Amino acid sequence: MNDNFVFSYAENAEGRMVHVDSVPNGLKCKCNCPHCHEQLLARHGDERTHHFAHHSENRGANLNICYMVILYKLAEQIVQTKKRIHAPSYYGIYIEKDLEFIDVKINSDYEREDKQPDVIATTKDGKQYLIEFTFEYKVQHKKPIDYKSLNCLEIDLSQQSLESLEDFLLSSAESRKWLNNESYFTRIEETYLKRKFKVKVVTNNECQQCKIKNACVNIKDTSCPMIIENNGENYRICKTEIFEKEMTEREMRKKHMEEKKEKTLKVESIITEQKNEDSEIDTEEIMRKNHEWFQNLLRQHNEKIQKNN
């Protein structure tokens, strides 16, 4: 947050955040700092930008925190008064848009022990949205918000000023994200089907056990698979048609390899049988020749004996 901030808003006696130009000058403004509760005076000078100033000369308040509290309370008041907020895109599946409400409840406590959100807003179709305002170095809640199965939007006010805040909340999609959006999440598959794409929302665990995880067919966010957070779990969007096609091709390749292996085994078997037959033929031929040689040798022996006699 910029240290050169201007306290253009303060809290009046009714607890409303008011602009410095809408109240009387000096202590007649009857305004206080919502953080340190010191009395403020309105300065409507000609040389400097109109602003509020802490009246006490010995104040011990941290002006950074005082400013953040005013910014935080003004943000709540803007949403409650205007009854709308500009919501960001949901992972590129749903576009950014204005959310309009018929009822807005605010908490107004900058620091608290409970798990309640800063804003609970309801649309005309009955959907509830939790809105949380944060600062990059300041966490208001000592316990995490329980947003399971709900729609929860987080908006970082760290880079905003009191002067830029309203336009930022109502017109910009910057510095905000969906912590959870059950309304969008449950309609992802239906939404893609309307766009002629068949997909399936799967958990990270399912992806890790997938047979084709090394050839992932998830929808990607730039070069990496898109990770969707919902109810504390991470999900991915699987392109079902491509997955089924890949699985079919793998089965066909597997079947082809098995058939090829079977044919190879048959050929090897035939070759082995042929070798065995050839071996048997060779053995019979050797035995026949050996028999002839023996008969011939015996005949020569007998002839020799007869000659000697």
Side-chain angles (χ1 to χ4, degrees):
M1 185 176 292
N2 191 341
D3 290 336
N4 297 320
F5 39 71
V6 176
F7 283 82
S8 53
Y9 281 84
E11 189 174 56
N12 66 10
E14 287 76 38
R16 298 284 296 174
M17 304 306 297
V18 292
H19 193 268
V20 64
D21 289 335
S22 68
V23 297
N25 193 32
L27 293 175
K28 292 180 182 180
C29 67
K30 296 182 180 179
C31 292
N32 295 299
C33 172
H35 173 60
C36 66
H37 306 296
E38 286 189 22
Q39 189 176 14
L40 301 180
L41 54 87
R43 289 181 171 170
H44 295 166
D46 296 329
E47 296 183 3
R48 295 180 60 186
T49 303
H50 293 185
H51 65 282
F52 288 101
H54 286 72
H55 180 56
S56 172
E57 295 181 358
N58 299 316
R59 66 173 167 75
N62 183 318
L63 288 182
N64 278 291
I65 297 180
C66 289
Y67 193 86
M68 281 194 294
V69 173
I70 294 173
L71 196 65
Y72 160 79
K73 291 177 73 68
L74 181 60
E76 285 189 330
Q77 184 173 296
I78 289 171
V79 177
Q80 186 179 51
T81 303
K82 300 296 183 179
K83 284 187 168 50
R84 66 184 177 90
I85 196 79
H86 192 73
S89 163
Y90 183 77
Y91 298 99
I93 303 171
Y94 299 96
I95 63 172
E96 60 182 79
K97 67 174 185 177
D98 286 342
L99 292 176
E100 297 184 349
F101 310 117
I102 59 172
D103 182 63
V104 178
K105 293 181 174 64
I106 62 176
N107 185 280
S108 297
D109 293 329
Y110 181 66
E111 291 185 325
R112 51 189 186 271
E113 299 286 343
D114 61 27
K115 297 182 179 182
Q116 295 302 309
D118 298 322
V119 176
I120 301 178
T122 307
T123 58
K124 65 180 180 180
D125 57 357
K127 291 179 182 176
Q128 278 197 337
Y129 291 85
L130 313 184
I131 302 175
E132 270 300 295
F133 298 118
T134 66
F135 297 90
E136 61 186 12
Y137 52 88
K138 181 66 178 176
V139 178
Q140 289 84 263
H141 293 275
K142 295 184 179 179
K143 295 179 182 179
I145 299 297
D146 185 8
Y147 50 74
K148 188 175 182 180
S149 300
L150 297 171
N151 306 318
C152 188
L153 178 62
E154 181 183 87
I155 302 178
D156 185 359
L157 305 180
S158 302
Q159 303 303 316
Q160 301 310 309
S161 68
L162 294 170
E163 291 73 27
S164 68
L165 187 59
E166 181 169 327
D167 185 62
F168 167 73
L169 293 174
L170 304 181
S171 304
S172 174
E174 298 299 318
S175 301
R176 64 199 68 191
K177 65 179 180 179
W178 288 108
L179 295 179
N180 216 63
N181 193 315
E182 195 71 11
S183 299
Y184 282 159
F185 180 78
T186 54
R187 293 190 291 115
I188 290 176
E189 294 179 10
E190 174 190 342
T191 300
Y192 272 97
L193 194 57
K194 288 179 179 178
R195 300 171 186 171
K196 311 300 182 184
F197 290 103
K198 189 177 179 183
V199 301
K200 181 181 179 181
V201 178
V202 296
T203 64
N204 265 357
N205 186 47
E206 288 178 284
C207 279
Q208 292 303 315
Q209 296 177 5
C210 179
K211 294 180 180 180
I212 62 170
K213 64 180 181 180
N214 293 327
C216 183
V217 293
N218 288 318
I219 290 177
K220 292 181 170 54
D221 181 6
T222 61
S223 60
C224 301
M226 181 193 298
I227 304 296
I228 295 178
E229 295 182 36
N230 193 70
N231 291 337
E233 271 200 77
N234 290 334
Y235 295 84
R236 298 185 186 186
I237 303 177
C238 180
K239 300 175 184 176
T240 314
E241 291 181 355
I242 299 178
F243 172 81
E244 291 173 351
K245 181 181 178 182
E246 178 67 23
M247 289 301 295
T248 300
E249 290 178 352
R250 289 191 175 214
E251 287 298 322
M252 290 177 64
R253 288 196 295 269
K254 181 180 178 182
K255 184 178 180 181
H256 175 72
M257 291 300 294
E258 288 176 348
E259 290 176 349
K260 185 177 180 181
K261 183 178 180 180
E262 186 178 350
K263 288 180 180 179
T264 301
L265 290 173
K266 284 184 178 180
V267 171
E268 289 178 349
S269 177
I270 292 172
I271 292 174
T272 301
E273 289 177 2
Q274 186 65 44
K275 285 183 178 180
N276 290 337
E277 289 178 0
D278 291 345
S279 177
E280 289 178 1
I281 293 173
D282 290 346
T283 301
E284 290 177 356
E285 180 67 17
I286 291 172
M287 290 179 67
R288 186 184 64 76
K289 288 183 178 182
N290 284 341
H291 179 73
E292 290 178 354
W293 174 81
F294 179 76
Q295 291 297 324
N296 185 49
L297 184 65
L298 181 62
R299 186 177 63 256
Q300 290 178 357
H301 179 71
N302 290 333
E303 289 176 353
K304 187 176 181 180
I305 291 175
Q306 291 176 359
K307 187 177 181 180
N308 290 332
N309 291 332

PDB file of all heavy atoms in Angstrom, residues 19 118 248:
ATOM      1  N   HIS A  19     -17.574  10.820   2.709  1.00  0.00           N
ATOM      2  CA  HIS A  19     -16.486  11.527   2.041  1.00  0.00           C
ATOM      3  C   HIS A  19     -16.242  12.864   2.724  1.00  0.00           C
ATOM      4  O   HIS A  19     -17.170  13.492   3.233  1.00  0.00           O
ATOM      5  CB  HIS A  19     -16.820  11.740   0.560  1.00  0.00           C
ATOM      6  CG  HIS A  19     -15.648  12.181  -0.249  1.00  0.00           C
ATOM      7  ND1 HIS A  19     -15.358  13.518  -0.457  1.00  0.00           N
ATOM      8  CD2 HIS A  19     -14.690  11.476  -0.908  1.00  0.00           C
ATOM      9  CE1 HIS A  19     -14.286  13.614  -1.216  1.00  0.00           C
ATOM     10  NE2 HIS A  19     -13.855  12.386  -1.508  1.00  0.00           N
ATOM     11  N   ASP A 118     -16.895 -11.395   5.082  1.00  0.00           N
ATOM     12  CA  ASP A 118     -17.140  -9.954   5.205  1.00  0.00           C
ATOM     13  C   ASP A 118     -18.501  -9.579   4.655  1.00  0.00           C
ATOM     14  O   ASP A 118     -19.191  -8.718   5.202  1.00  0.00           O
ATOM     15  CB  ASP A 118     -16.046  -9.180   4.450  1.00  0.00           C
ATOM     16  CG  ASP A 118     -14.667  -9.442   5.037  1.00  0.00           C
ATOM     17  OD1 ASP A 118     -14.572  -9.544   6.263  1.00  0.00           O
ATOM     18  OD2 ASP A 118     -13.709  -9.560   4.263  1.00  0.00           O
ATOM     19  N   THR A 248      -9.113 -46.669 -27.265  1.00  0.00           N
ATOM     20  CA  THR A 248      -9.452 -47.601 -28.341  1.00  0.00           C
ATOM     21  C   THR A 248      -8.224 -47.913 -29.181  1.00  0.00           C
ATOM     22  O   THR A 248      -7.959 -49.082 -29.521  1.00  0.00           O
ATOM     23  CB  THR A 248     -10.552 -47.011 -29.245  1.00  0.00           C
ATOM     24  OG1 THR A 248     -11.723 -46.760 -28.458  1.00  0.00           O
ATOM     25  CG2 THR A 248     -10.895 -47.963 -30.377  1.00  0.00           C
TER      26      THR A 248
END
